[in-house]
Amino acid sequence: MKTLLIYPEFPPTFWSYEKILELVNRKVLLPPLGLITVAAILPQSWEFKLVDRNITSVSEADWDWAELVILSGMIVQKSDFIAQIQEAKRRGKLVAVGGPYPTSVPHEIETAGADFLILDEGEITLPMFVEAIERGETSGVFRTPEKPSVTLTPIPRYDLLELDAYDSMSVQFSRGCPFQCEFCDIIVLYGRKPRTKTPEQLLKELDYLYELGWRRGVFMVDDNFIGNKRNVKLLLKALKIWQAEHQYPFRFNTEASVDLADDAELMDLMVECNFDAVFLGIETPDTSSLELTKKYQNNRSPLLEAVDKIIRAGLRPMAGFILGFDGEKPGAGSRIIDFVEQAAIPAALFSMLQALPNTALWTRLEKEGRLINPKKFDINQTTLINFIPTRPVEEIAEEYIETFWQLYDPERYLERTYRCFLKLGAPKCHPPGKIPSFIDLKALATVIWRQGFKRKTRWKFWQYLFSIIKHNPAVWDHYLTLCAHNEHFLEYRQIVKTEIEQQLAEYKAQKAQLQTQVPA
């Protein structure tokens, strides 16, 4: 079976980093781990081609070659996902789809014309699909309430990737999260019992990446890497040895709950394995909103203290924040800015709250009749809130624009990045030095030109850089990389402002029209 795997295009997002990737001659931050795992689960007698639409288009030769087209992706990829289904069907191809988007919103995919819906987790539903294909069936829906053991998951087909196009590789150690945040769809898709691979299993995946010549960053894509602390410590103890034996070829980052700060041993192990950054779901400094959305773990200890512990342990924090919780008081955006500044968090992912399909939040709002266009999904940092909040939409949107604009003011960003790196714990492992490539040198020169000469923040750039070299020299290169991110945020905050203002104007116009239609 000649199988064409298509990964749909992303719109510009907080994580796109186009300006940064251009500097190092790469096109995309991360590869489609789901699709290359699908390729590993399907019969290895099948032939596979992978087209990541974020890198290149599907060629006529690809379409002509394919007997079966498989797509996977997330809700944010919806537009291109549906377009590729329709293009494949126009060409008379069998189309199978799976992943978070089809699993969450199967009716949209059926309407688009997909033949096979391979939903939930592929370790169980892909074999069901293969049996149907072998019986000669040309359509079907495959679902299961069962959560498979990820110890059965084969090594992803990393060989299908155009490795040089990606800035980092992706690996997965666990699925699921033990918490119950009302707005989160991870526990809907993967359950609340974290399932982990064995340390030996994950190390084999790293062996394969190493054999393929990969020597850069690796993102542990787990939605909560420390969901099963016992098992993750077993992994880290084995990984620490593997990294030392291979002379630290990879640097890691991941996502974790903020209670990471309560476990010094765990943080030390991560740093010893060459983890240098962690994404934290902080959401809001307002304790009442955290309580309402059932993010109880963030109220167990002071958040500022937790972030400080993580930084001093040697892990740079990235953090997610949300505006629009029920009962939220005006000025929530300003309180988030104050928190981000006090905590010295360089990159803060900031979004308006969105009700995701099948979450506890979705169910509650549906019962209350508060969902807006419940069959329409287009969720991003540039999307207006998709339900009726407890304070005016206009107020939330205007506060959101202002907060995003202030968070990524170039001077503020540079200043808090400096304060973060000034106290960032030094690395506990020391990879051997390598001769920088021409691309690395070119990127360095571009960053220094833009940040050190072109921007109005140039004096602070030099002042802070020399201070880091003097007071915390072990992290100067990591710090300079974060300075470069300023280029992306300068552009992206304008995208957010323009798109939200446009949607807000449309919302106000629709609201005014409805009010004129209401009889006196």
Side-chain angles (χ1 to χ4, degrees):
M1 178 73 72
K2 295 177 179 177
T3 306
L4 179 63
L5 306 163
I6 299 177
Y7 195 51
E9 191 173 6
F10 279 92
T13 73
F14 184 91
W15 300 114
S16 299
Y17 286 147
E18 292 98 337
K19 290 286 185 184
I20 315 305
L21 295 173
E22 286 173 7
L23 295 177
V24 287
N25 202 28
R26 291 167 203 141
K27 295 182 179 180
V28 186
L29 190 64
L30 293 167
L33 181 63
L35 269 180
I36 59 175
T37 303
V38 165
I41 295 172
L42 289 170
Q44 295 307 288
S45 57
W46 291 14
E47 296 178 62
F48 299 99
K49 281 187 181 181
L50 171 67
V51 176
D52 184 343
R53 292 256 307 139
N54 300 281
I55 295 173
T56 187
S57 300
V58 186
S59 69
E60 287 297 326
D62 293 330
W63 287 121
D64 291 342
W65 174 84
E67 297 173 314
L68 170 68
V69 174
I70 296 180
L71 296 103
S72 179
M74 297 178 280
I75 291 175
V76 70
Q77 296 165 276
K78 166 188 170 175
S79 178
D80 195 51
F81 199 120
I82 290 173
Q84 295 308 308
I85 293 174
Q86 293 170 341
E87 182 63 20
K89 290 311 299 175
R90 187 181 73 79
R91 294 167 179 272
K93 305 297 180 181
L94 270 181
V95 177
V97 300
Y101 172 39
T103 298
S104 297
V105 198
H107 68 270
E108 287 194 347
I109 300 300
E110 287 180 303
T111 303
D115 302 297
F116 296 98
L117 275 67
I118 312 166
L119 309 179
D120 304 306
E121 296 187 55
E123 286 84 355
I124 295 174
T125 54
L126 279 166
M128 295 161 61
F129 161 70
V130 171
E131 289 175 8
I133 286 283
E134 290 174 347
R135 290 193 299 267
E137 296 178 18
T138 55
S139 65
V141 178
F142 310 98
R143 300 216 68 159
T144 177
E146 186 181 345
K147 303 298 181 189
S149 169
V150 292
T151 59
L152 305 175
T153 307
I155 297 172
R157 289 286 306 272
Y158 291 106
D159 58 296
L160 295 173
L161 298 172
E162 186 183 330
L163 292 176
D164 288 343
Y166 298 98
D167 186 67
S168 293
M169 277 295 106
S170 299
V171 297
Q172 184 182 59
F173 178 61
S174 69
R175 290 183 204 158
C177 177
F179 300 117
Q180 53 183 328
C181 309
E182 185 188 40
F183 57 85
C184 184
D185 63 347
I186 297 305
I187 53 178
V188 176
L189 292 168
Y190 304 116
R192 288 189 57 202
K193 182 179 180 181
R195 293 160 285 139
T196 72
K197 296 176 180 176
T198 65
E200 296 76 17
Q201 185 181 2
L202 193 81
L203 294 183
K204 285 181 180 178
E205 295 185 19
L206 298 181
D207 282 334
Y208 189 34
L209 279 173
Y210 187 86
E211 289 166 12
L212 289 172
W214 188 259
R215 296 294 185 275
R216 296 199 300 274
V218 174
F219 182 54
M220 284 292 183
V221 302
D222 306 30
D223 295 289
N224 187 359
F225 180 60
I226 65 167
N228 184 323
K229 289 186 178 180
R230 174 191 171 276
N231 284 7
V232 85
K233 285 181 181 179
L234 291 175
L235 167 68
L236 291 171
K237 288 171 183 175
L239 179 57
K240 178 181 173 181
I241 296 169
W242 188 95
Q243 281 276 74
E245 289 176 346
H246 291 77
Q247 295 190 304
Y248 302 94
F250 306 140
R251 66 182 186 282
F252 294 95
N253 49 52
T254 191
E255 303 178 42
S257 47
V258 77
D259 59 328
L260 169 65
D262 299 330
D263 196 325
E265 180 195 13
L266 182 49
M267 290 190 290
D268 285 344
L269 280 168
M270 289 174 70
V271 175
E272 288 167 357
C273 290
N274 209 20
F275 279 75
D276 63 12
V278 60
F279 183 88
L280 308 168
I282 292 176
E283 322 311 354
T284 175
D286 293 348
T287 55
S288 58
S289 292
L290 291 170
E291 194 74 21
L292 179 67
T293 200
K294 298 183 179 179
K295 202 169 182 82
Y296 304 122
Q297 67 272 22
N298 282 19
N299 277 340
R300 290 175 188 164
S301 58
L303 285 172
L304 282 172
E305 289 182 18
V307 175
D308 189 68
K309 286 180 183 177
I310 290 168
I311 293 173
R312 293 185 186 280
L315 295 166
R316 170 177 58 85
M318 303 171 280
F321 293 90
I322 294 173
L323 205 62
F325 289 109
D326 278 4
E328 185 177 76
K329 295 177 182 177
S334 296
R335 293 190 292 277
I336 288 172
I337 291 173
D338 290 343
F339 180 89
V340 172
E341 291 292 338
Q342 289 179 55
I345 299 170
L349 170 63
F350 186 50
S351 305
M352 272 183 275
L353 183 61
Q354 303 287 341
L356 295 172
N358 309 317
T359 59
L361 176 63
W362 174 273
T363 302
R364 176 170 68 82
L365 294 174
E366 188 174 40
K367 287 179 181 177
E368 295 171 2
R370 294 169 57 196
L371 293 175
I372 299 172
N373 294 329
K375 291 189 176 182
K376 182 177 181 291
F377 305 96
D378 190 8
I379 295 169
N380 198 351
Q381 289 86 41
T382 54
T383 307
L384 208 58
I385 200 164
N386 68 344
F387 63 93
I388 301 168
T390 56
R391 61 183 178 125
V393 171
E394 298 94 326
E395 182 180 293
I396 294 171
E398 287 165 3
E399 200 172 289
Y400 176 73
I401 293 167
E402 180 61 21
T403 303
F404 211 110
W405 196 260
Q406 291 297 326
L407 277 173
Y408 290 104
D409 171 79
E411 194 162 319
R412 295 181 85 149
Y413 173 79
L414 201 61
E415 196 270 339
R416 69 173 179 268
T417 300
Y418 165 69
R419 287 189 288 109
C420 173
F421 277 81
L422 204 58
K423 63 180 178 180
L424 185 67
K428 295 187 177 181
C429 56
H430 302 284
K434 64 174 185 177
I435 299 173
S437 67
F438 172 75
I439 290 174
D440 294 333
L441 293 172
K442 183 182 175 183
L444 177 62
T446 304
V447 171
I448 288 175
W449 164 247
R450 290 177 181 173
Q451 296 288 317
F453 295 94
K454 189 177 178 182
R455 304 292 180 211
K456 66 178 182 180
T457 52
R458 53 190 175 273
W459 300 115
K460 287 200 170 183
F461 169 81
W462 289 114
Q463 177 190 344
Y464 293 158
L465 178 59
F466 287 135
S467 181
I468 291 293
I469 291 172
K470 179 179 179 180
H471 297 292
N472 199 0
V475 301
W476 77 269
D477 53 342
H478 189 182
Y479 169 73
L480 203 56
T481 300
L482 265 289
C483 289
H485 289 187
N486 211 348
E487 300 294 320
H488 167 67
F489 296 129
L490 262 174
E491 182 177 271
Y492 191 64
R493 71 170 185 162
Q494 184 61 59
I495 293 173
V496 168
K497 186 174 189 292
T498 301
E499 295 202 15
I500 294 295
E501 282 179 343
Q502 181 181 339
Q503 291 177 56
L504 185 57
E506 292 170 359
Y507 172 84
K508 287 178 177 178
Q510 291 170 358
K511 186 177 179 182
Q513 186 177 6
L514 288 171
Q515 287 173 341
T516 60
Q517 294 172 358
V518 176

